[in-house]
């Protein structure tokens, strides 16, 4: 390799070249070098410097948005980088974000008070902020009018119009700007922009509308009504249903913001920022929902638009909490729209004419139907839901022609994947199962595919599994062996996989002959890696593996096949979201992160004696095998796949799917050495939403994974920027009696680390009401949990608010710390004595109370001073110094005890690690000398009791 090649691969060389180009004024050349170096550098500190340098280039090139982004990345790598912070402040000033710029500059000035550039920028920002406060609308008015003029002028350049549209988005995020846009007929202008059919302009218009609608019910009501507004829900739904690629998602986000503004309005007396008198928000809400329901069967709506409408219904209709007694919105949607949802569910694009669908639509319908059914409160409501579904299926099934019967079967398939109780009832209707079985042998490929899929979904349900085992296995085997179509073969294989995994992880309950499941798995892996197969067929291969990986032999086989793993991960990142649960289930099985209750040995013996079945664990499900599988999955890139799965905005990312992902993440961070890899690939960021949304089990697992990361990693690096504050609530949620002692312990350890970082984090912990919970665990019988809680309290008392709890009269908090300082458990003693040292230093009035806590207080303090542990000695000498400095009478009591002799010995020093102890002990004796309690006996500095007053 020649020297030029070496240079090109060395990020340090590239950075130096970039610095030279920057100094010579070649900003684009410097930018190029820094970008090349970033692609090659793995060092976080090196990357931070490169981002900082690139931010300087962007500032010179007046690209302030990119300058802010790069400076922020540099600060993520090193929060103390004052140059990066100053560059971000400069960029924020140019972007008009004066408050944020002021905070950054203020921090820079604190770090370098004599820097004139920092002081000058602070002065400029102060002046600009005062002007803005004095007249908030004057500058905004002019900017809004300027944007309108550019956008309405047909002679303006396209680039100028696009920039003006983007500036409108920025203005709409400020209340003054949003009000000006709204009051100056901005909605009409935005309507014109939406008619432009230009993707970037349409996206800017939708994002501007988001700014107008956020938290503002009166604007939402005006925009949503077709009469007073040039837009109206009908037009917004049409935009969401358009074919322009990114527009449906942006329109979906706008409608979500509008729904949130209305639902918040229903909870508050003052329903918007301007406190306007408005019509009942629930009426507005239902009007908007009616438009969404009308979108579902409309043939003019695009597939992605329809999916967005279903997604909105999933998010907005069911109650957020079952404790809320009002499910009237769900009942209204079932009454007004259930048949429309079932119409989409029964659509088969290959057979019948109907609305356009995506690969995700049927799964989204299943999720919506399941959410609606789960939100029902009583047998009467559920019976009505069942009746409507049965009525629809019967109507389709009784209609003439095979096409209608297949629509009925497809509807049953969707119901089986959603509210399975309802699906089972429709499956048991006269003639349905017989038609499914007969159509599995159809010569028409599309008919056969619908029937086989229905049979597979039926096989997964307990009520029908025994019937299909008896009647369907032969049929599925026949299809698997004889069909010439790989799509049919892979579906038949999944049916066999479902039936073959009926024993779950129980090694002794296998449906098929030894080695059969392994053969099926190898075929699934083969299809999974076959890029020539359509994505839907490959997705079915993952479905098969989700069932087969109950068998530990299959788990071992799969993790050894790196190509198959990576193919599965690519599918998880693709547009077809229906594969998410299958991927999650497969990974849960491979990592053994499912819950297994191991029976007590006595119960096992009793079961054997009674000739009852006893579940057996596969030898390859032992811990060493699981750890090797985890290492293989990490090597294949499982973390990036999981991170992508979490980011999916789709109904297919169900609560059960989130729980699977949380379980896998928890398994991946079990070993301390793997946590850095998980964090580096985005696992820490992905766990935060998992800990706040989903099933209780899933949220707990995600919170525990966050705790493990926060214990062994620097939380500021693992969760950079504001993200570290989002970690607090999940950790506090683990401080519950329902959680295990291990979860309690790990949460306390993680909170200890967070509490030691900054006062702002301590305030966040206090705000989440963690202090009483931590105090409760200080009484826990388990010594590790008790010690961890006391360590957490040791860091929390750095906050004045917590100190006041100890100062308040009539409590035993101080007594507990004194007693714990005398316990045998060294870890507990260190934590308690450390807390005492901090409290007696910050709140001297507590010193006088210590003798009243226990008559053994002096013995406890002397034991600390005599300890073999240097840490305990230091804590003891600090407490002694604080007591002596607080009151002369306390100092006299100490000097009249054995403490004088102990302090005299400690003051002489010894080993280098005892230097702090010796220094503090000498300070104690110096205080005694000042009080006149002791005096120097000789020139060497030995102290003795005073002979006079």
């Amino acid at each position: 390799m020649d020297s030029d090649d070496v240079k090109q691969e060395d990020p340090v060389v590239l950075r130096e070249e970039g610095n030279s180009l920057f100094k010579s004024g070649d900003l684009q050349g410097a930018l190029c070098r820094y970008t090349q170096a970033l692609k090659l550098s793995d060092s976080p500190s090196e990357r931070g410097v490169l981002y900082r340098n690139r931010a300087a280039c962007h500032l010179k090139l007046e690209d302030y948005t990119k300058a802010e982004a790069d400076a922020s990345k540099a600060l993520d790598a090193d929060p103390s980088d004052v140059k990066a912070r100053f560059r971000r402040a400069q960029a924020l000033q140019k972007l008009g974000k004066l408050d944020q710029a002021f905070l950054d500059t203020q921090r820079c000035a604190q770090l370098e008070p004599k820097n004139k550039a920092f002081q000058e920028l602070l002065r400029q920002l102060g002046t600009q902020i005062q002007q803005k406060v004095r007249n908030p609308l004057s500058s905004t008015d002019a900017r809004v009018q300027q944007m309108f003029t550019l956008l309405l002028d047909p002679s303006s350049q396209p680039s100028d119009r696009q920039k003006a549209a983007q500036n409108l988005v920025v203005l709409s995020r400020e209340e003054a700007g949003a009000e000006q846009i709204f009051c100056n007929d901005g909605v009409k202008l935005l309507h014109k922009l939406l008619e432009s059919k230009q993707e970037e302009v349409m996206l800017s218009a939708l994002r501007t509308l988001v700014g107008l609608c956020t938290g503002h019910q009166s604007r939402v009501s005006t925009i949503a009504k077709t009469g007073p507004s040039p837009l109206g829900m009908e037009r917004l739904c049409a935009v969401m249903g358009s074919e322009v690629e990114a527009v449906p998602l942006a329109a979906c986000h706008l409608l979500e913001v509008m729904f949130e503004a209305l639902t918040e309005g229903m909870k508050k007396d003052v329903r918007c920022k301007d406190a306007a008198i408005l019509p009942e928000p629930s009426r507005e809400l239902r009007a908007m929902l009616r438009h969404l329901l009308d979108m579902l069967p409309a043939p003019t709506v695009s597939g992605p638009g329809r999916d967005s409408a279903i997604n909105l219904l999933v998010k907005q209709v069911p109650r957020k909490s079952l404790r809320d007694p009002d499910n009237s919105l769900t009942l209204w949607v079932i009454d007004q729209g259930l048949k429309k949802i079932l119409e989409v569910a029964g659509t088969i694009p290959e057979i019948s004419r109907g609305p356009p669908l995506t690969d995700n639509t049927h799964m989204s319908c299943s999720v919506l139907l399941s959410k609606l059914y789960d939100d029902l409160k009583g047998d009467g409501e559920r019976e009505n839901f069942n009746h409507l579904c049965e009525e629809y299926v019967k109507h389709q099934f009784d209609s003439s022609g095979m096409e209608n019967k297949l629509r009925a079967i497809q509807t049953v398939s969707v119901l089986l994947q959603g509210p399975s109780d309802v699906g089972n009832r429709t499956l048991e209707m006269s003639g349905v199962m017989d038609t499914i079985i007969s159509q599995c042998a159809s010569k028409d490929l599309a008919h056969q595919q619908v029937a086989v899929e229905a049979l597979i979904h039926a096989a997964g349900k307990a009520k029908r599994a025994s019937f299909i085992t008896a009647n369907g296995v032969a049929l599925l085997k026949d299809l698997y062996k004889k069909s010439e179509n790989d799509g049919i073969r892979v579906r038949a294989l999944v049916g066999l996989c479902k039936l073959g995994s009926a024993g779950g992880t129980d090694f002794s309950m296998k449906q098929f002959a030894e080695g059969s499941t392994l053969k099926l798995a190898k075929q699934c892996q083969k299809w999974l890696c076959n890029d020539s197969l359509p994505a839907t067929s490959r997705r079915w291969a993952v479905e098969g593996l989700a069932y087969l990986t109950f068998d530990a032999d299959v788990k071992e086989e799969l993790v050894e096949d790196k190509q198959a793993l990576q193919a599965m991960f690519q599918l998880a990142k693709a547009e077809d979201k229906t594969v998410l649960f299958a991927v999650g289930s497969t990974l849960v099985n491979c990592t053994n992160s499912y819950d297994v209750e191991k029976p007590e040995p006595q119960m096992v013996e009793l079961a054997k004696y009674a000739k009852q079945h006893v579940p057996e664990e596969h030898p390859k499900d032992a811990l060493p095998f699981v750890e090797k599988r985890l290492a293989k999955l990490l090597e294949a890139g499982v973390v990036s796949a999981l991170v992508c799965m979490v980011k999916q905005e789709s109904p297919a990312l169900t609560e059960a799917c989130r729980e699977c992902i949380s379980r896998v993440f928890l398994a991946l961070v079990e070993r301390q050495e793997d946590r850095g890899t998980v964090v580096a690939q985005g696992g820490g960021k992905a766990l935060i939403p998992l800990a706040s949304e989903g099933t209780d089990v899933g949220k707990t697992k995600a919170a525990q994974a966050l705790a493990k990361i926060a214990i062994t990693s620097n939380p500021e690096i693992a969760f950079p920027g504001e993200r570290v504050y989002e970690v607090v609530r999940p950790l506090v949620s683990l401080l519950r009696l329902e959680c295990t002692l291990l979860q309690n312990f790990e949460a306390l350890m993680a909170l200890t680390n967070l509490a030691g970082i900054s006062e702002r984090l301590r305030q966040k912990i206090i705000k989440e009401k963690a202090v009483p919970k931590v105090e409760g665990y200080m009484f826990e019988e388990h010594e590790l949990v008790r010690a961890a809680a006391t360590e957490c309290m040791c860091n929390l008392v750095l906050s004045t608010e917590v100190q006041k709890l100890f100062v308040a009269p009539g409590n035993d908090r101080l007594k507990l710390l004194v007693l714990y300082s005398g316990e045998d458990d060294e870890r507990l003693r260190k934590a308690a004595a450390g807390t005492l040292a901090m409290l007696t230093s910050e709140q001297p009035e507590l010193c006088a109370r210590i003798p009243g806590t226990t008559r053994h207080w002096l013995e406890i303090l002397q034991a600390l001073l005599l300890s073999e542990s240097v840490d305990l000695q230091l804590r003891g000498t600090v407490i002694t110094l604080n007591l002596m400095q607080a009151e002369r009478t306390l100092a006299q009591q100490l000097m009249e005890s054995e403490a004088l002799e102990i302090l005299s010995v400690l003051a002489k020093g010894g080993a280098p690690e005892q230097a702090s102890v010796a220094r503090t002990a000498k300070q104690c004796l110096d205080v005694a000398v000042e009080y006149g309690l002791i005096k120097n006996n000789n020139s060497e500095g030995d102290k003795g009791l005073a002979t006079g007053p």
Side-chain angles (χ1 to χ4, degrees):
M1 186 182 290
D2 61 31
S3 60
D4 287 340
D5 289 336
V6 173
K7 282 183 183 178
Q8 291 302 314
E9 291 181 5
D10 188 346
V12 176
V13 173
L14 286 166
R15 175 163 61 84
E16 293 301 330
E17 288 180 7
N19 292 346
S20 301
L21 291 167
F22 182 85
K23 288 173 185 173
S24 67
D26 185 357
L27 299 175
Q28 290 293 353
L31 198 62
C32 182
R33 291 292 188 279
Y34 295 143
T35 303
Q36 284 177 310
L38 276 167
K39 290 176 183 176
L40 297 170
S41 176
D42 293 326
S43 164
S45 58
E46 176 69 28
R47 290 175 67 81
V49 173
L50 289 165
Y51 277 124
R52 182 182 73 199
N53 291 359
R54 211 166 67 165
C57 294
H58 289 312
L59 277 173
K60 292 279 188 183
L61 293 165
E62 298 184 5
D63 193 340
Y64 302 117
T65 303
K66 287 182 180 176
E68 181 199 356
D70 275 355
S72 295
K73 288 174 184 174
L75 287 168
D76 286 345
D78 181 7
S80 64
D81 189 336
V82 71
K83 285 185 181 178
R85 195 170 293 279
F86 183 59
R87 282 168 194 169
R88 186 168 75 174
Q90 291 174 302
L92 288 166
Q93 181 192 26
K94 295 293 184 182
L95 290 168
K97 300 176 182 178
L98 302 180
D99 291 345
Q100 295 175 48
F102 187 84
L103 288 173
D104 270 349
T105 313
Q106 195 175 46
R107 178 64 179 148
C108 291
Q110 287 170 353
L111 294 170
E112 294 184 17
K114 295 181 181 178
N115 191 307
K116 291 181 180 178
F118 299 165
Q119 297 298 337
E120 175 58 24
L121 184 57
L122 264 181
R123 188 190 61 75
Q124 289 177 16
L125 288 165
T127 305
Q128 289 173 348
I129 289 169
Q130 284 179 352
Q131 288 174 349
K132 188 176 178 181
V133 169
R134 286 194 199 105
N135 195 355
L137 292 180
S138 59
S139 59
T140 307
D141 254 339
R143 285 157 71 198
V144 169
Q145 289 302 328
Q146 184 186 7
M147 298 309 114
F148 280 5
T149 304
L150 275 169
L151 289 164
L152 292 169
D153 184 2
S155 63
S156 59
Q157 294 293 320
S159 59
D160 291 339
R161 295 182 71 189
Q162 188 173 331
K163 195 169 184 180
Q166 290 172 346
N167 286 339
L168 265 187
V169 177
V170 175
L171 284 169
S172 71
R173 289 171 184 162
E174 299 173 9
E175 179 55 28
E179 190 61 26
Q180 282 302 300
I181 294 168
F182 189 75
C183 294
N184 285 285
D185 281 339
V187 178
K188 285 183 182 177
L189 173 67
L190 295 168
H191 176 252
K192 289 180 182 178
L193 296 181
L194 288 174
E195 297 291 329
S196 70
K197 303 299 180 187
Q198 298 174 36
E199 185 176 340
E200 283 301 318
V201 175
M202 290 177 77
L203 289 173
S204 295
L206 290 167
R207 289 165 186 158
T208 304
L209 284 166
V210 167
L212 297 183
C213 293
T214 301
H216 208 296
Q217 190 195 329
S218 63
R219 289 187 201 140
V220 170
S221 297
T222 305
I223 289 168
K225 283 182 183 175
T226 305
S229 168
L231 279 172
M233 269 301 291
E234 192 172 337
R235 177 63 196 139
L236 291 174
C237 287
V239 171
M240 189 166 74
S242 72
E243 297 285 351
V244 185
E245 192 172 344
V247 169
L249 278 176
C252 179
H253 177 57
L254 167 61
L255 290 175
E256 193 173 341
V257 166
M258 293 171 72
F259 275 116
E260 284 173 5
L262 288 177
T263 50
E264 283 301 309
M266 291 170 68
K267 298 175 188 174
K268 298 175 183 176
D269 293 330
V270 178
R271 294 183 186 138
C272 58
K273 291 174 183 174
D274 59 355
I277 298 172
L278 297 165
E280 179 59 40
S282 62
R283 193 187 311 157
E284 302 288 327
L285 196 64
R286 292 184 185 198
M288 290 173 68
L289 289 171
R290 190 184 298 279
H291 280 95
L292 289 181
L293 291 169
D294 290 341
M295 280 182 73
L296 298 185
T300 54
V301 175
S302 67
R306 183 169 289 96
D307 286 354
S308 293
I310 296 170
N311 195 4
L312 279 168
L313 289 167
V314 168
K315 288 182 177 179
Q316 301 302 329
V317 176
R319 291 170 290 171
K320 300 293 184 287
S321 168
L322 294 180
R323 288 191 291 270
D324 178 3
D326 183 15
N327 69 339
S328 58
L329 210 54
T330 294
L331 296 174
W332 182 85
V333 167
I334 290 170
D335 181 56
Q336 300 291 318
L338 182 57
K339 288 184 179 178
K340 293 174 183 177
I341 300 167
L342 293 173
E343 190 176 331
V344 177
T347 299
I348 309 164
E350 299 85 355
I351 298 173
S352 56
R353 285 176 297 174
L357 307 184
T358 69
D359 291 336
N360 302 306
T361 307
H362 282 144
M363 174 60 77
S364 298
C365 283
S366 293
V367 173
L368 175 56
L369 289 165
S370 184
K371 289 273 187 185
L372 294 174
Y373 187 73
D374 290 343
D375 202 40
L376 299 177
K377 290 195 291 188
D379 291 343
E381 292 178 2
R382 293 189 189 94
E383 188 56 40
N384 178 57
F385 189 97
N386 273 300
H387 174 70
L388 291 171
C389 292
E390 287 173 11
E391 192 178 67
Y392 179 83
V393 171
K394 187 175 188 302
H395 172 72
Q396 293 293 336
F397 202 77
D398 291 346
S399 301
S400 59
M402 182 52 67
E403 183 179 310
N404 288 319
K405 286 182 170 54
L406 289 167
R407 284 181 67 88
I409 291 170
Q410 179 59 49
T411 307
V412 172
S413 266
V414 170
L415 286 167
L416 285 166
Q417 292 175 83
S420 56
D421 290 344
V422 183
N424 271 318
R425 280 183 56 164
T426 56
L427 192 65
E428 289 164 2
M429 290 170 63
S430 177
V432 173
M433 197 68 200
D434 293 336
T435 306
I436 291 174
I437 296 288
S438 66
Q439 286 304 303
C440 283
S442 172
K443 299 294 182 186
D444 187 306
L445 192 61
H447 292 196
Q448 190 181 32
Q449 187 168 301
V450 171
V452 171
E453 287 185 13
L455 187 66
I456 293 164
H457 296 312
K461 310 303 168 188
K463 287 184 180 180
R464 307 300 307 177
S466 58
F467 170 82
I468 294 163
T469 303
N471 300 281
V473 171
L475 175 61
L476 290 169
K477 281 184 178 178
D478 200 45
L479 287 169
Y480 173 58
K481 289 176 182 177
K482 295 181 181 178
S483 177
E484 294 179 4
N485 181 273
D486 278 340
I488 295 295
R489 290 187 69 214
V490 72
R491 285 165 173 79
L493 177 60
V494 172
L496 291 170
C497 293
K498 276 193 174 186
L499 297 171
S501 64
T505 58
D506 185 355
F507 183 45
S508 63
M509 289 279 287
K510 297 299 163 195
Q511 301 292 315
F512 295 149
E514 188 71 31
S516 294
T517 51
L518 207 52
K519 286 179 184 176
L520 292 174
K522 285 180 179 177
Q523 185 58 56
C524 283
Q525 288 164 235
K526 182 180 174 184
W527 272 322
L528 181 57
C529 298
N530 187 350
D531 291 333
S532 63
L533 280 176
T536 48
S537 295
R538 295 169 67 212
R539 187 251 297 172
W540 279 100
V542 182
E543 290 268 0
L545 289 170
Y547 288 96
L548 291 172
T549 46
F550 283 125
D551 187 327
D553 288 318
V554 175
K555 299 176 195 182
E556 290 293 312
E557 175 72 27
L558 178 60
V559 297
E560 291 296 333
D561 189 345
K562 192 172 182 179
Q563 186 185 357
L565 286 177
Q566 290 179 335
M568 181 169 72
F569 298 157
Q570 285 305 314
L571 278 178
K573 298 174 186 178
E575 286 187 15
D576 182 0
K577 312 299 188 301
T578 55
V579 78
L580 295 181
F581 186 68
V583 173
S585 300
T586 303
L587 292 172
V588 165
N589 292 340
C590 287
T591 56
N592 281 36
S593 46
Y594 41 74
D595 293 327
V596 179
E597 287 188 20
K598 293 189 177 180
E600 294 178 13
Q602 288 179 329
M603 297 303 293
V604 171
E605 291 303 318
L606 281 171
K608 286 179 180 177
Y609 178 76
K611 297 184 179 179
Q612 295 292 319
H613 172 69
V614 180
E616 295 178 24
E617 184 181 67
H618 196 293
K620 291 181 181 176
D621 275 330
L623 185 59
F625 287 94
V626 176
E627 287 181 346
K628 286 177 184 175
R629 291 202 291 267
L630 286 164
K632 293 280 185 185
L633 287 167
L634 282 166
E635 189 184 330
V638 67
V639 176
S640 62
L642 292 171
V643 169
C644 282
M645 288 166 73
V646 174
K647 288 178 181 176
Q648 304 288 3
E649 275 290 330
S650 166
L653 187 64
T654 58
E655 290 189 348
C657 188
R658 284 175 173 275
E659 183 181 317
C660 287
I661 298 169
S662 298
R663 287 177 179 276
V664 177
F665 265 128
L666 181 56
L668 291 170
V669 298
E670 192 61 45
R671 292 199 319 160
Q672 186 175 331
E673 54 267 38
D674 293 332
R675 292 171 194 171
T677 305
V678 173
V679 169
Q681 295 178 17
K685 181 181 178 181
L687 278 164
I688 294 171
L690 289 172
S692 57
E693 294 178 48
T695 64
D696 288 340
V697 172
K699 289 189 287 188
T700 301
K701 300 281 184 189
Q704 190 179 2
L706 285 171
K708 287 180 184 290
I709 291 169
I711 289 168
T712 53
S713 308
N714 181 341
E716 289 181 294
I717 295 172
F719 312 105
E722 294 297 304
R723 205 170 295 145
V724 71
Y725 301 97
E726 296 176 48
V727 177
V728 174
R729 182 172 294 174
L731 295 179
V732 175
S733 73
L734 293 175
L735 301 181
R736 293 178 290 124
L737 293 175
E738 296 86 352
C739 294
T740 65
L741 278 178
L742 176 62
Q743 290 166 343
N744 299 155
F745 173 71
E746 290 178 333
L748 290 164
M749 292 275 286
L751 287 168
T752 302
N753 282 355
L754 293 177
I757 291 172
S758 69
E759 177 59 23
R760 188 180 164 197
L761 265 170
R762 286 190 287 277
Q763 285 300 320
K764 176 67 175 172
I765 294 168
I766 294 165
K767 188 179 177 183
E768 293 297 334
K769 300 178 181 176
V771 175
K773 295 178 180 181
V774 173
E775 285 188 308
Y777 283 104
M778 287 174 70
F779 293 94
E780 174 58 50
E781 288 183 16
H782 196 289
E783 61 181 29
L784 285 175
V785 177
R786 186 168 66 240
T790 311
E791 286 171 345
C792 189
M793 185 58 70
C794 185
N795 282 350
L796 286 171
V797 294
L798 291 166
S799 175
T800 308
E801 197 171 328
V802 180
Q803 292 168 17
K804 287 176 181 176
L805 296 174
F806 288 85
V807 174
N811 71 78
D812 289 331
R813 292 184 175 94
L814 193 65
K815 180 178 181 178
L816 183 68
L817 292 177
V818 174
L819 292 172
Y820 277 179
S821 298
E823 286 286 312
D824 292 333
D825 178 5
E826 187 172 317
R827 182 173 175 177
L828 180 61
R829 288 179 77 195
K830 283 181 182 177
T835 312
L836 266 182
M838 179 63 64
L839 284 168
T840 51
S841 174
E842 295 295 321
Q843 301 290 339
E845 63 189 280
L846 289 173
C847 295
R849 296 191 200 172
I850 287 179
T853 57
T854 171
R855 57 194 177 90
H856 300 294
W857 72 276
L858 202 51
E859 296 167 33
I860 291 169
L861 189 55
Q862 288 170 2
L864 289 173
L865 296 171
L866 289 168
S867 171
E868 293 179 4
S869 164
V870 175
D871 289 335
L872 285 174
Q873 284 180 350
L874 180 60
R875 285 159 172 76
T877 52
V878 170
I879 295 167
T880 304
L881 178 62
N882 293 338
L883 293 175
M884 293 179 69
Q885 287 176 332
E887 287 192 11
R888 187 179 187 280
T889 53
L890 288 174
Q892 187 169 354
Q893 277 182 272
L894 288 163
M895 291 301 99
E896 289 173 354
S897 71
E898 293 176 16
L900 172 61
E901 187 179 344
I902 300 167
L903 289 168
S904 300
V905 173
L906 291 174
K908 293 177 182 177
E913 63 268 19
Q914 290 181 304
S916 296
V917 175
R919 187 166 55 251
T920 313
K922 187 175 183 305
Q923 286 178 282
C924 292
L925 296 174
D926 290 341
V927 171
V929 169
E930 287 176 21
Y931 283 147
L933 298 172
I934 61 173
K935 64 180 181 179
N936 285 329
N937 282 339
N938 54 50
S939 58
E940 293 180 3
D942 288 341
K943 305 291 193 297
L945 281 170
T947 55

